[in-house]
Amino acid sequence: MAVTARYDQQQLAPARNLGAILDFATRSHARAAAVLILVALLNFLPGFFTIPPIDRDEARFAQATKQMIENRDYVDIRFQDEVRYKKPVGIYWLQAGAVTTARALGMTRALTTIWLYRIPSLVGAIGAVLLTYWTALAFVSRRAALLAGLMMASSILLGVEARFATTDAMLLATVVAAMGALARVYLPEQRAQLDESAGTLAAWSLPAIFWTALAVGVLLKGPLIIMVVGLAALALSIIDRRADWLLALKPLIGVVWFAALVLPWFVAIIGRADEAFLSESVGHDLIPKLYSNQEGHGAPPGSYLLLFWLMFFPGSMLAGLAAPAVWAARREPGAKFLLAWLLPSWIILELVVTKLPHYVLPLFPAIAILIAGIMEARMLSRNRWLTPGLAWWFIFPLLLGIVGVVCLIAIVHQFGLLAWVFGGGAMVVGLIAWRLYEADGAEQSLLRGVAAAVLLAVALFGVVIPDLEPLFPSPTLARILRDSGCPRPVVAASVGYHEPSLVFLAGTPTRLTDTAGAAEFLAGGECRFAFVEARQERDFAAQAEAIGLRYSPGPRIEAVNISNGQAITMAVFRSESPL
């Protein structure tokens, strides 16, 4: 890394035991990529196939994609009859591609199989891990780049996003690709190699990566990627008092290519929706987040800094130890670039009123590379006020393991033996990482932290969350419809439970209504169902009696609505033929 020139040739001595993995992986890029993919899959796959659709964002994305496929309209974005213009079309196209491929291969119920919609997120998360490795190679040795990739592969936040059918994992991949290309035209050593290839096809590879990643990022989530990349380039240009290095990205041709990729859909949707798209995406989604608490997601400045230690576990335990050396090297090209990637966007996101954890995810690769560079230079601080923070390698698995087991006992009255096994394993490995840090060094302790993170993922995502069935009433309600014996399509109305996961699983025609609407719906024919929350059941009965509705009661579902944390009881009613 260009953190400090005097350490350019220095390499860490091979660590014992787990360090042998690094010795094996760093012999070639192919081996490094294979190890990163393996660790990423071990961390990302538990629960990927078994966790039901999560309300509300994931289910909304999946349902909008499902309607695209059902209507064969790949321009407009809708949730039932409502337009959904908060995000551009990119993730919907990727999800539709995965689901359509599965249907073509003969997979039954592909439209309501949520893990198919998660495939782009999984691919994006793995791609982000590999691209972090590729980007890090511009700054550090292969061994340190592998460590940076492992920090991303095991991070809790990326593990969560890899399991969600939303935009953020794929967006991360585009940001890292763009920043990796930008780094190679900025850093003096990399720029020299680029100048040597001038006039050849290779000279066009970095501009192609940069502008394509920028375009895909815009199609995924609008201007966020432009903010991260643009602020980094602007900060570097101001600090260095020169911006001619950006010419290596061939901006004239690049902007044309960017526009060719982005404009067709934007022109099509604006032509279809007129002012509604810009009004919804900019006026009702983007701008209000800057100054208001949107959907209850407001938090004060500094919230991301507090959450970082959990979100970037296990790599975050070394961030504090690396900070003094990073600050000391802030004027060197490598550290300067990574800090320009990290700090301007982080400060803005801290100041924005609406906050969600994944907003800072595109900045994590910069942190990972900084930590890896300081580890390679053996410059981690030994300050006695900072090293106690390493105890969180043990404390986080302990706390999260306890929370998981308590949830199993309290919600489904299960002891959760497998959760104890894997959660206990994470605690033990985390304890060893902490206690043997001084004896074995940062590299091996980090690898143990990675192992602890993987075991924790198995415990929480692979065991605990799928077993918490009361948190996911929609699959049970949809199963009642499938097993009813009624000819398809079976249509239902829901009162007091209006979550998008029910629409996704029960069918697009599902009506989210009130008691009067449910009673009128049941009166419309046989083999119709109403799901009524117990607090509105008496009013439903009165509405049914008023119109002379004949219906039969079905099972009652005890559950929890995770969107608002309320306990609910869903009563199932089925219409009967009139006398």
Side-chain angles (χ1 to χ4, degrees):
M1 179 181 183
V3 169
T4 178
R6 63 181 180 274
Y7 289 106
D8 281 347
Q9 304 301 320
Q10 188 174 359
Q11 295 184 355
L12 295 173
R16 302 193 306 270
N17 303 327
L18 287 174
I21 297 174
L22 294 183
D23 297 335
F24 168 83
T26 52
R27 291 172 188 166
S28 70
H29 292 307
R31 289 188 180 186
V35 169
L36 288 173
I37 292 172
L38 176 61
V39 173
L41 290 175
L42 289 173
N43 191 40
F44 300 157
L45 285 185
F48 182 86
F49 302 99
T50 54
I51 295 176
I54 304 293
D55 287 312
R56 295 183 171 118
D57 275 358
E58 178 180 58
R60 285 171 177 161
F61 275 101
Q63 174 59 26
T65 298
K66 181 157 73 90
Q67 287 182 222
M68 274 189 171
I69 299 171
E70 291 171 339
N71 300 330
R72 297 183 179 181
D73 183 349
Y74 296 95
V75 174
D76 205 10
I77 307 169
R78 290 182 175 268
F79 180 90
Q80 293 190 307
D81 294 328
E82 297 179 2
V83 296
R84 182 169 167 78
Y85 294 154
K86 292 185 177 182
K87 300 293 184 293
V89 77
I91 196 64
Y92 304 103
W93 283 349
L94 294 173
Q95 291 177 355
V99 176
T100 302
T101 300
R103 294 181 78 190
L105 294 174
M107 183 175 178
T108 59
R109 293 210 294 266
L111 280 177
T112 54
T113 300
I114 188 61
W115 65 262
L116 290 173
Y117 296 81
R118 293 170 176 163
I119 288 176
S121 293
L122 178 65
V123 172
I126 295 173
V129 170
L130 295 175
L131 286 165
T132 298
Y133 170 77
W134 173 72
T135 300
L137 289 171
F139 300 87
V140 295
S141 69
R142 188 182 298 172
R143 190 181 189 90
L146 181 61
L147 290 174
L150 288 172
M151 286 183 239
M152 291 300 298
S154 57
S155 68
I156 287 182
L157 182 57
L158 185 54
V160 170
E161 294 302 329
R163 296 174 175 88
F164 274 7
T166 56
T167 58
D168 297 285
M170 186 60 73
L171 174 69
L172 174 64
T174 63
V175 171
V176 184
M179 294 304 293
L182 193 67
R184 283 168 168 80
V185 302
Y186 175 78
L187 296 174
E189 302 89 343
Q190 301 292 325
R191 182 66 180 269
Q193 297 177 18
L194 190 64
D195 291 341
E196 291 176 2
S197 63
T200 68
L201 188 62
W204 289 90
S205 60
L206 291 179
I209 292 171
F210 178 83
W211 293 106
T212 302
L214 211 63
V216 175
V218 169
L219 286 172
L220 285 168
K221 207 167 182 175
L224 183 59
I225 186 173
I226 295 178
M227 181 194 80
V228 175
V229 176
L231 285 177
L234 179 63
L236 291 168
S237 299
I238 292 174
I239 292 170
D240 294 342
R241 299 181 181 179
R242 56 190 294 264
D244 57 326
W245 57 277
L246 290 169
L247 295 175
L249 292 172
K250 306 189 185 303
L252 292 179
I253 297 176
V255 169
V256 173
W257 174 242
F258 172 85
L261 294 175
V262 169
L263 285 182
W265 178 78
F266 279 95
V267 170
I269 193 62
I270 292 173
R272 177 84 64 89
D274 201 13
E275 297 179 358
F277 172 74
L278 292 177
S279 174
E280 178 73 14
S281 61
V282 179
H284 294 157
D285 184 54
L286 177 62
I287 294 178
K289 287 179 179 177
L290 302 178
Y291 61 84
S292 65
N293 178 356
Q294 197 174 62
E295 297 183 359
H297 296 146
S303 299
Y304 287 126
L305 183 60
L306 292 176
L307 286 174
F308 165 75
W309 309 102
L310 173 61
M311 295 189 297
F312 195 56
F313 177 89
S316 57
M317 304 306 97
L318 296 175
L321 302 181
V326 170
W327 181 249
R330 63 190 182 278
R331 292 184 177 85
E332 297 183 10
K336 189 195 306 180
F337 181 92
L338 294 169
L339 289 172
W341 178 353
L342 171 64
L343 293 180
S345 294
W346 191 290
I347 291 170
I348 286 179
L349 292 172
E350 289 282 18
L351 294 176
V352 169
V353 176
T354 298
K355 289 182 174 65
L356 287 169
H358 56 256
Y359 287 177
V360 294
L361 182 59
L363 312 180
F364 281 8
I367 301 173
I369 299 170
L370 283 167
I371 294 172
I374 299 305
M375 289 176 64
E376 181 179 42
R378 299 185 181 181
M379 294 175 64
L380 290 174
S381 174
R382 296 182 176 272
N383 188 300
R384 63 189 181 90
W385 297 105
L386 296 176
T387 51
L390 298 172
W392 289 99
W393 270 325
F394 166 67
I395 295 174
F396 272 141
L398 175 64
L399 295 178
L400 293 178
I402 290 173
V403 169
V405 171
V406 168
C407 287
L408 283 176
I409 295 173
I411 297 175
V412 295
H413 311 295
Q414 295 179 8
F415 189 64
L417 180 59
L418 281 177
W420 281 86
V421 171
F422 288 104
M427 296 175 207
V428 171
V429 177
L431 178 63
I432 295 172
W434 166 38
R435 299 302 296 170
L436 295 185
Y437 174 81
E438 293 292 341
D440 291 346
E443 185 180 276
Q444 188 154 342
S445 287
L446 176 61
L447 293 176
R448 288 170 178 148
V450 170
V454 170
L455 290 171
L456 190 62
V458 175
L460 294 181
F461 299 111
V463 179
V464 173
I465 296 178
D467 282 350
L468 298 177
E469 291 187 9
L471 300 184
F472 309 102
S474 294
T476 303
L477 296 172
R479 195 179 308 118
I480 291 172
L481 297 182
R482 289 199 307 270
D483 298 341
S484 64
C486 292
R488 303 195 183 281
V490 178
V491 183
S494 184
V495 180
Y497 181 70
H498 290 178
E499 297 307 320
S501 61
L502 181 61
V503 178
F504 173 72
L505 293 172
T508 301
T510 300
R511 298 192 183 184
L512 308 179
T513 184
D514 56 14
T515 53
E520 292 174 3
F521 172 75
L522 287 188
E526 296 183 50
C527 247
R528 293 190 171 203
F529 290 79
F531 306 135
V532 182
E533 209 281 315
R535 283 179 280 263
Q536 302 188 52
E537 192 172 351
R538 182 177 297 180
D539 189 45
F540 169 77
Q543 296 285 348
E545 183 178 359
I547 63 174
L549 174 68
R550 297 183 70 246
Y551 62 92
S552 58
R556 301 175 73 84
I557 310 299
E558 303 287 340
V560 175
N561 187 339
I562 60 174
S563 296
N564 55 29
Q566 290 185 349
I568 57 174
T569 299
M570 298 302 297
V572 180
F573 300 104
R574 177 173 175 168
S575 61
E576 293 183 351
S577 59
L579 293 174

